[in-house]
Amino acid sequence: MQRTWQLAFKIAWRFSKGSRKQRFASFVSGFSTIGITLGVAALITVISVMNGFQNQLEQRILNVVPHLQIPAHSKVPAPLSQLPQAPLVSAKVVLQSTSGLHAAQMQGINPKLEPDRVLLERHTLQGHLASLKSGKFNVILGSEIAQQLGVSVGENVRIIATDTLIYTPFGEMPSQRTFHVAGVFQFASEVDNQFIWVNDADAARLLRKPLSQVSQTRLFVPDPLNIEKYSQYLPAHGLDWRHYYGQLFSAVKMEKTMMSFLFCLVIAVAAFNILSALVMMVGDKQSDVAILQTLGMPKRLLLRIFMIQGAWSGCLGAFVGAGAGVVLTHHLNPLLELLGLNMALGVGGVPIVIEPLQVIEITCLAIILSVLATLYPAWQASRIQPAEALRYE
């Protein structure tokens, strides 16, 4: 068996040297190798960048938005009971300052019970999370909200609970109260324009209800992007983060899928070039194949010879492309800086996350496509009739 493979490799190597008549076929084969190399390298680079953006969105958005949200008076289901949890009072409000109005989502939290309070504190530009004490009526605003309202730490804003009505001598009015701006947080994402933090007890007072009636349970999952395996256990009226940002992450996932599909097509086109080169080579080597058959070479060995010859180009392109893609991805930000293309990307540059499993999958995909492209030419070579091929020799 081993000798058979050695013989197949030797003959494939002799065929690959070719003759003057085969120069065009060799050119097509080399071009296909370059195409696979570029396709694999580009796909690895694009996927790594998309991974980086997805990871950045996860860190900047899903650390603020509740992963799972269970309504008040509902028990935490047993499969979710081991997850970290914290109380949460959530409501839609309108903030008013001397500069204007701004709608936001109020999050009433207890800083002492927050599992990710260290992370929240890290993103608090001004003030401290500990300032959200019961009865102080302090508020920490998103940076964009503070900018649009024209307020800073030490000033006051009026928070209006639009869904809570109270009776006054002037008729029904939404519940409202003046809060003191104790801090500003920034995640460099959409949450800076949509969320504010207050103490959960102060939020309950604004809503004119006991804390026990409005306090929900917020659960934290280790992998928010795989929320489906947790959300299936939610009780009625329970929510997960997709209620807030499901469309955004679906759009990112769709874009990632489409980019991967397009570059897979590039690899497929390069693999079909291997098919073209082998078809031309089989046509040129008919007499050689016929002589090998008359010497007793079995058809399965002929199949191996031409499959090896075509797969060699694909494997070479796949491995070189994988290495080039990883190197290019690691040096992408310096390269963009050298070309002056990173002006609008901020201080950190392009976010990049290289997944080794994805690199392996892309490399294997290129190799599989290359091997599949060799099947038809190899089958054609095995069907050559020696008498027909050698008739005019």
Side-chain angles (χ1 to χ4, degrees):
M1 184 69 178
Q2 185 178 0
R3 291 182 178 180
T4 303
W5 279 105
Q6 289 178 351
L7 178 61
F9 274 105
K10 288 181 179 179
I11 297 176
W13 172 252
R14 291 291 299 272
F15 279 1
S16 65
K17 291 182 178 181
S19 60
R20 294 181 179 179
K21 297 180 181 180
Q22 287 183 264
R23 286 182 178 177
F24 183 71
S26 300
F27 170 77
V28 174
S29 179
F31 185 79
S32 63
T33 303
I34 296 174
I36 291 177
T37 300
L38 294 178
V40 170
L43 182 55
I44 290 174
T45 303
V46 169
I47 288 294
S48 300
V49 172
M50 296 300 294
N51 288 340
F53 278 114
Q54 192 172 34
N55 181 262
Q56 196 173 74
L57 282 176
E58 180 182 358
Q59 293 180 356
R60 293 181 177 181
I61 292 180
L62 298 187
N63 286 325
V64 181
V65 179
H67 298 165
L68 296 172
Q69 196 170 330
I70 297 179
H73 305 299
S74 295
K75 293 183 179 180
V76 177
L80 304 177
S81 58
Q82 300 300 319
L83 295 175
Q85 52 186 274
L88 175 69
V89 178
S90 181
K92 294 181 179 179
V93 298
V94 173
L95 289 83
Q96 181 183 23
S97 70
T98 56
S99 300
L101 301 171
H102 189 90
Q105 185 77 23
M106 178 180 68
Q107 288 188 340
I109 62 176
N110 187 333
K112 295 181 180 179
L113 302 179
E114 282 292 313
D116 59 350
R117 58 184 176 273
V118 176
L119 174 67
L120 299 181
E121 190 74 43
R122 189 185 309 136
H123 286 274
T124 303
L125 297 181
Q126 301 176 17
H128 298 281
L129 204 65
S131 63
L132 300 180
K133 297 180 180 179
S134 176
K136 296 293 185 180
F137 293 98
N138 290 331
V139 60
I140 298 179
L141 306 175
S143 58
E144 292 189 18
I145 295 178
Q147 182 179 2
Q148 292 184 21
L149 291 176
V151 296
S152 57
V153 175
E155 299 181 1
N156 295 328
V157 295
R158 181 169 292 276
I159 300 181
I160 305 170
T162 55
D163 293 335
T164 302
L165 299 178
I166 59 175
Y167 294 96
T168 70
F170 303 99
E172 290 184 342
M173 298 285 289
S175 176
Q176 52 188 293
R177 186 148 192 159
T178 299
F179 279 71
H180 182 74
V181 179
V184 175
F185 68 82
Q186 185 179 56
F187 281 83
S189 66
E190 295 183 9
V191 299
D192 298 338
N193 190 44
Q194 297 178 353
F195 287 86
I196 64 171
W197 300 335
V198 300
N199 181 270
D200 56 351
D202 293 345
R205 293 189 183 98
L206 175 65
L207 299 177
R208 305 293 178 127
K209 293 180 181 179
L211 180 59
S212 58
Q213 291 186 11
V214 294
S215 180
Q216 306 177 38
T217 303
R218 175 185 181 182
L219 301 177
F220 300 79
V221 302
D223 187 9
L225 294 181
N226 293 326
I227 196 66
E228 292 86 359
K229 67 179 181 181
Y230 303 100
S231 59
Q232 60 181 323
Y233 302 110
L234 285 175
H237 305 294
L239 302 175
D240 59 45
W241 63 262
R242 291 175 296 181
H243 175 74
Y244 301 96
Y245 289 101
Q247 292 183 346
L248 173 62
F249 279 85
S250 295
V252 172
K253 184 178 180 180
M254 177 62 71
E255 184 178 0
K256 182 179 177 181
T257 301
M258 291 305 299
M259 293 295 291
S260 302
F261 177 72
L262 291 175
F263 281 100
C264 284
L265 289 180
V266 173
I267 298 174
V269 170
F272 277 108
N273 285 336
I274 294 177
L275 186 149
S276 302
L278 279 181
V279 167
M280 289 185 287
M281 188 170 293
V282 169
D284 184 69
K285 292 292 185 180
Q286 285 192 25
S287 58
D288 296 331
V289 172
I291 293 173
L292 290 175
Q293 285 182 318
T294 57
L295 293 176
M297 178 172 287
K299 291 186 176 182
R300 64 175 182 276
L301 187 54
L302 288 172
L303 282 170
R304 292 177 188 174
I305 291 172
F306 285 95
M307 288 182 65
I308 290 171
Q309 192 166 3
W312 164 251
S313 299
C315 292
L316 178 63
F319 287 116
V320 174
V326 172
V327 172
L328 176 62
T329 304
H330 274 297
H331 297 84
L332 184 60
N333 282 311
L335 179 62
L336 292 177
E337 184 177 357
L338 181 64
L339 298 175
L341 301 176
N342 64 335
M343 300 298 294
L345 298 175
V347 179
V350 176
I352 294 171
V353 175
I354 300 177
E355 294 287 349
L357 182 59
Q358 290 180 341
V359 175
I360 295 173
E361 290 175 349
I362 293 170
T363 305
C364 291
L365 173 65
I367 293 174
I368 291 172
L369 289 177
S370 301
V371 172
L372 291 177
T374 66
L375 294 180
Y376 175 74
W379 178 70
Q380 284 288 91
S382 67
R383 292 179 67 248
I384 293 176
Q385 299 298 326
E388 293 291 333
L390 298 175
R391 176 180 297 179
Y392 302 105
E393 294 293 331

